[in-house]
Structures are given as C-alpha cells and as structure tokens.
Amino acid sequence: MIRVLLAEDQAMVRGALSALLGMEDDIEVVGAAADGEAAWRELQRLKPDLLVTDIEMPGLTGLELAQRIQRQELPCKVVIVTTFARSGFLRRALDAGVSGYLLKDAPAEDLAEALRKVHRGGRAIDPQLAVEAWSDADPLNDRERQVLRLAGEGQSAGDIARQLNLSQGTVRNYLSEAIGKLGVANRIEAYRLARQRGWL
C-alpha cells in the first residue's frame, strides 16, 4: 500500500484529489493539510511514503517543504501537482529533490500512475516542461530570489534587512544584482519577470 499525504490549500481540489486517489486499490490517503506548516507537522507524525503537494501555499510553499525533506533526509518522496507550467519552478523542484512534477490539467489516471512510478524509485515529470526546463536557466541565487520576492511584495529595503538579518546596503546589493542579471530597469520589473519565468 502506498501511503500518501496531500498538501493543497484549495479545499475543493484537496477533496477531489483525495477522492480520486481513494479509488485506487494500492493507494491510501493517510492525511491532508491546507498549508505548508500543517503539512510539515503531519509529515513528521504520519511518516507517509509520498507527499503530494501544490507549489503555492500559505506558510511553507511546496518547494520549501521539499527542501526541508531533503535537508532532514526524510524517506518521503515528493510529487508536485500544480497549475504552474513554468520551467523555472521545475528546475527548482528538481534541485530540491522532487521526484514528480505534474500539471493539474493532466488526465486523472496519470496521477495514480505517476505516484506508483515514484514509489518504485522512478521520476514522473511533465514531458513538455522537462524540455523547456533545460533551455531556460535561472540566473538568480537563493538570497537574490528571497530579497526580490520580499521587495515584490512591497517591503522596503529596511523591512527586508530586519527580516533577513542583513544590512540595508547588502539588501540593495542583492536587488541590484538581481536587476542586472535579469536585464531590467528596476525591482518591480525584476520581480514581474522572475515570477513569470517561475524563478520566484
């Protein structure tokens, strides 16, 4: 039996995924969480074989969950099911040790088959995205990405500096580096472009 934990902030999608997987003889949904922090707690309590998660969630994102699982060397494998058909997200997911990356508009039967494949030690990646991912490299490093995301949410350099325990000058340097690497005029354009490419 493949034991699955679901992490999805939209109740209707969470319920649909649970019902869909519940129809499979060899898959058991052992728990479901509406945000990343709850998913992390459930993960440690239930010790599932697989975590099926969205990317964008309150608290921790699906990618941050995957990174935590990788850092803690937990045996749970991660499959992302998302609407984000962006190659940048896929590259970051693979870097975080994710074993599966599927789009929500894929046929329902693909999900169960992907979970079986991942459980057996394989990978299940949307083929079109896989092709795009290798042609569109992310130029940002983790710190630039973090600072740019906060700036894009409207935080000032001072706010970001306090939140990340950096000096304001260092925050401005990271923003300037990100703007330069993306070849845009300012932090707003940098944020928009990075979001669009799936790098944030």
Side-chain angles (χ1 to χ4, degrees), residues 7 12 35 47 49 68 83 134 173 182:
M12 194 180 287
D35 65 69
K47 298 181 172 46
D49 301 311
R68 267 197 197 180
T83 54
W134 302 119
N173 286 344
L182 298 177

Side-chain angles (χ1 to χ4, degrees), residues 55 78-91 93-94 98-108 110-111 113-115 117-118 122-135:
I55 286 186
V78 181
V79 175
I80 286 178
V81 180
T82 184
T83 54
F84 292 108
R86 297 178 188 156
S87 56
F89 276 131
L90 173 57
R91 287 181 76 100
L94 293 174
V98 166
S99 300
Y101 195 104
L102 305 170
L103 299 177
K104 284 181 180 170
D105 61 2
D110 287 7
L111 176 59
E113 207 35 64
L115 296 188
K117 187 175 180 183
V118 167
R123 279 213 163 146
I125 309 293
D126 181 274
Q128 186 53 46
L129 265 182
V131 171
E132 288 173 26
W134 302 119
S135 62

Side-chain angles (χ1 to χ4, degrees), residues 140 148 174-187 190:
L140 302 173
L148 189 57
Y174 280 128
L175 284 172
S176 167
E177 283 292 315
I179 290 164
K181 284 179 178 178
L182 298 177
V184 292
N186 56 49
R187 66 174 72 178

Side-chain angles (χ1 to χ4, degrees), residues 157-171:
D159 293 336
I160 297 168
R162 276 189 295 280
Q163 196 170 329
L164 301 180
N165 293 319
L166 300 170
S167 73
Q168 287 191 44
T170 302
V171 167

Side-chain angles (χ1 to χ4, degrees), residues 5-194:
L5 172 66
L6 295 176
E8 164 63 60
D9 61 326
Q10 294 177 352
M12 194 180 287
V13 176
R14 196 168 59 246
L17 284 172
S18 187
L20 187 72
L21 294 174
M23 292 189 286
E24 303 294 329
D25 295 335
D26 56 342
I27 297 173
E28 180 191 4
V29 177
V30 295
D35 65 69
E37 290 291 354
W40 178 245
R41 288 191 299 273
E42 288 296 272
L43 199 79
Q44 294 170 92
R45 186 174 74 83
L46 297 167
K47 298 181 172 46
D49 301 311
L50 301 178
L51 169 67
V52 174
T53 180
D54 196 356
I55 286 186
E56 291 286 314
M57 287 188 300
L60 292 170
T61 67
L63 291 177
E64 288 165 340
L65 270 173
Q67 287 165 340
R68 267 197 197 180
I69 289 167
Q70 188 181 48
R71 272 199 309 272
Q72 305 268 344
E73 297 181 357
L74 300 181
C76 179
K77 294 187 170 91
V78 181
V79 175
I80 286 178
V81 180
T82 184
T83 54
F84 292 108
R86 297 178 188 156
S87 56
F89 276 131
L90 173 57
R91 287 181 76 100
R92 285 173 52 212
L94 293 174
D95 288 344
V98 166
S99 300
Y101 195 104
L102 305 170
L103 299 177
K104 284 181 180 170
D105 61 2
E109 58 272 15
D110 287 7
L111 176 59
E113 207 35 64
L115 296 188
R116 291 184 188 102
K117 187 175 180 183
V118 167
H119 188 251
R120 289 192 303 265
R123 279 213 163 146
I125 309 293
D126 181 274
Q128 186 53 46
L129 265 182
V131 171
E132 288 173 26
W134 302 119
S135 62
D136 195 13
D138 178 358
L140 302 173
N141 65 36
D142 284 342
R143 196 53 116 174
E144 289 161 357
R145 198 177 295 115
Q146 199 176 23
V147 167
L148 189 57
R149 185 184 299 124
L150 293 171
E153 289 167 3
Q155 295 197 35
S156 69
D159 293 336
I160 297 168
R162 276 189 295 280
Q163 196 170 329
L164 301 180
N165 293 319
L166 300 170
S167 73
Q168 287 191 44
T170 302
V171 167
R172 282 193 287 273
N173 286 344
Y174 280 128
L175 284 172
S176 167
E177 283 292 315
I179 290 164
K181 284 179 178 178
L182 298 177
V184 292
N186 56 49
R187 66 174 72 178
I188 303 302
E189 286 180 25
Y191 176 78
R192 280 196 194 122
L193 178 61

